[in-house]
Amino acid sequence: MRKICTVVGARPQFIKLAVVSRVLRKDFQEVLIHTGQHYDYNMSDVFFKEMDIPEPDYNLGVSGGTHGQMTGRMIIQLEEVLLQERPDMLLVFGDTNSTMAGALAAVKLGIPICHVEAGNRLGTLKNPEEANRVVTDRIAALHLVCTPSGVEFLNREGVFSSVHLVGDPMYDAFCYYSARLDGTELRKITNLDGQPVTLPERFYYMTSHRQENTDQDEKLDQIFQAMEALDLPTVYPVHPRNQARAARLCREQGYRKILLTLPVGYRTSISLVNRSEKIVTDSGGLQREAFFARKPCVTIYDYVSWPETMAGRCNQLAKPEKEDILAKLNTPVSFSPSYQPFGDGHAAEKTVDAIKRFFEGKGNVSE
Ligand code: UD1
Ligand code: UDP
């Protein structure tokens, strides 16, 4: 059996891993390496437990610091593991520092790289993850793409034969786990002090963790002012990076409609997606899930990350400004019932098929 080392480190990667690993392990020996980038129980362990993801074979415990420090420390440790394991391939997901560190460690050892969620582009290096995407795609041997726009971006960069449109594993996960919800997952929501909270009957679901929106009081407060002005309460599970700031702003400004909670597990999150009225986010994953669930979404960001979601104004960009967010939330949207550009819910199977064909020599390795 061929050996594949999979490198993950951040919350959205655990979700993609859950669906891909289940299929991959039928035909390959998978060695799972967790860089440690996300490490709190509710940013990491909860996903492994609730989504039946096998325990990582390695946890490198690398987190925090500047992007350069984090990436550098990851590469050093990943190289050691890869030298020990000598895999036939390295598998990475998405665009985090863990993704690029894995890819750089592998390419230097001559290990072919399979990049899942390849071809995603924002078109600006101002976005901290863009360099991770561009570098990983440049050195990957196999590009597995979620949507047609990803294929176009890669083609424009001269990458053709190694590109396979397989669909979005996030859509696989959404379909698989949405069918297995029973409401108990909503009882796990707690406030920032860890006390259980009662979910309002009707609500908006918000997440915001991008450093561009949350590292300054002014921007986060503009977002809060918009949510406070709405007719219904907002449920906001807060990423650890901005919990203290969010709690302080809500306390100082006396906001009453914003329910701050600890980060929730994936099943709880998609349950919130399915039950919410509308979604406000800066998350790449959540804006797609809003689209999967046919919920209007406002993405607080300057750049389009998933062009397909913008059809019919289902997903609209807004600046971190109260009036712009409210205007976008009030704009009518139209979902086309038959438009599903994220695949058929079997991206994981297609991913593993593409890997098998790669080893059979039919995969067209890019140079
Ligand atoms: C990272 C990814 C981003 C992705 C996000 C998913 C990069 C460059 N960015 O951003 O693309 O959208 O993950 O959630 O890789 N922290 C904790 N506990 C944790 C995790 C993080 O306290 O479990 C703290 C870290 O110590 C750090 C801050 O949160 O100070 C930011 O974490 P980091 O992993 O650097 O970036 P994210 O914002 O999570
Ligand atoms: N999510 C979660 N718990 C939360 C917030 C989000 O499980 O408290 C899920 C969300 O439903 C989506 C994924 O995390 O599946 C998105 O990850 P994140 O926003 O951290 O990263 P991004 O997608 O922006 O890279």
Side-chain angles (χ1 to χ4, degrees):
M1 231 185 199
R2 292 192 192 263
K3 187 194 277 189
I4 297 188
C5 279
T6 303
V7 175
V8 293
R11 172 167 71 185
Q13 294 165 334
F14 309 142
I15 297 162
K16 294 156 205 170
L17 172 71
V19 291
V20 171
S21 185
R22 200 174 291 139
V23 184
L24 187 75
R25 286 179 183 234
K26 292 182 188 159
D27 291 294
F28 294 93
Q29 180 195 351
E30 183 181 45
V31 175
L32 186 55
I33 310 170
H34 187 327
T35 61
Q37 181 170 348
H38 286 175
Y39 50 89
D40 288 345
Y41 177 84
N42 50 17
M43 293 294 289
S44 178
D45 306 53
V46 68
F47 295 90
F48 285 79
K49 282 202 164 61
E50 287 189 359
M51 302 179 85
D52 295 323
I53 307 170
E55 281 284 306
D57 298 284
Y58 297 86
N59 190 321
L60 308 181
V62 179
S63 61
T66 63
H67 284 235
Q69 287 166 350
M70 188 198 290
T71 312
R73 283 186 284 135
M74 284 176 186
I75 294 172
I76 293 168
Q77 294 201 42
L78 283 164
E79 184 176 63
E80 278 176 30
V81 175
L82 294 178
L83 279 169
Q84 207 172 303
E85 294 289 344
R86 286 277 161 204
D88 297 292
M89 174 175 269
L90 177 106
L91 178 65
V92 283
F93 300 91
D95 56 16
T96 71
N97 291 342
S98 299
T99 311
M100 185 177 72
L104 284 170
V107 75
K108 296 282 182 185
L109 298 173
I111 299 165
I113 298 154
C114 173
H115 186 201
V116 173
E117 215 179 85
N120 187 226
R121 293 287 181 276
L122 269 56
T124 173
L125 290 171
K126 284 188 187 151
N127 168 254
E129 287 80 25
E130 187 81 347
N132 296 340
R133 301 184 187 102
V134 171
V135 170
T136 304
D137 278 340
R138 182 63 190 84
I139 58 183
L142 193 52
H143 299 87
L144 305 184
V145 184
C146 299
T147 59
S149 63
V151 175
E152 272 176 47
F153 282 123
L154 287 169
N155 290 170
R156 262 186 251 160
E157 292 171 16
V159 187
F160 291 93
S161 56
S162 56
V163 176
H164 301 264
L165 181 61
V166 295
D168 187 353
M170 289 295 274
Y171 185 52
D172 292 22
F174 186 81
C175 297
Y176 182 89
Y177 290 98
S178 285
R180 289 163 176 78
L181 300 174
D182 56 12
T184 54
E185 66 284 345
L186 294 169
R187 293 191 212 133
K188 297 181 178 173
I189 305 175
T190 62
N191 66 17
L192 293 183
D193 296 322
Q195 301 304 312
V197 296
T198 309
L199 194 65
E201 191 70 21
R202 296 176 63 220
F203 57 89
Y204 299 105
Y205 182 24
M206 162 176 164
T207 71
S208 179
H209 70 276
R210 302 245 154 254
Q211 61 190 57
E212 298 91 318
N213 290 332
T214 61
D215 277 6
Q216 294 162 28
D217 278 10
E218 295 70 28
K219 289 187 179 175
L220 188 58
D221 191 46
Q222 282 288 313
I223 302 172
F224 282 167
Q225 283 185 36
M227 303 319 287
E228 185 72 9
L230 292 171
D231 52 337
L232 298 173
T234 293
V235 178
Y236 175 20
V238 197
H239 188 293
R241 78 177 300 138
N242 62 315
Q243 276 171 17
R245 188 185 303 276
R248 177 174 51 74
L249 280 172
C250 282
R251 195 174 52 244
E252 285 173 1
Q253 307 290 350
Y255 296 136
R256 305 190 68 85
K257 287 191 179 162
I258 301 165
L259 183 57
L260 302 180
T261 80
L262 288 174
V264 295
Y266 175 75
R267 297 172 75 256
T268 308
S269 184
I270 56 165
S271 196
L272 288 170
V273 169
N274 285 320
R275 286 169 192 245
S276 66
E277 302 294 319
K278 295 184 184 181
I279 289 173
V280 174
T281 191
D282 55 19
S283 157
L286 204 70
Q287 62 184 276
R288 272 129 83 202
E289 286 160 356
F291 186 85
F292 303 158
R294 301 292 192 249
K295 303 286 178 179
C297 181
V298 172
T299 297
I300 304 169
Y301 210 55
D302 286 337
Y303 306 98
V304 173
S305 33
W306 292 94
E308 285 82 358
T309 61
M310 314 303 280
R313 296 206 178 90
C314 302
N315 182 17
Q316 299 171 85
L317 296 185
K319 297 194 179 315
E321 293 167 9
K322 175 184 173 187
E323 296 309 328
D324 196 28
I325 297 167
L326 290 175
K328 300 291 164 50
L329 277 170
N330 288 322
T331 305
V333 310
S334 84
F335 285 98
S336 151
S338 57
Y339 181 56
Q340 180 42 276
F342 290 90
D344 58 5
H346 295 284
E349 287 86 346
K350 290 175 187 165
T351 294
V352 175
D353 278 350
I355 295 173
K356 281 190 208 161
R357 276 184 280 128
F358 175 87
F359 285 118
E360 288 160 9
K362 297 177 200 154
N364 296 314
V365 187
S366 65
E367 291 299 329

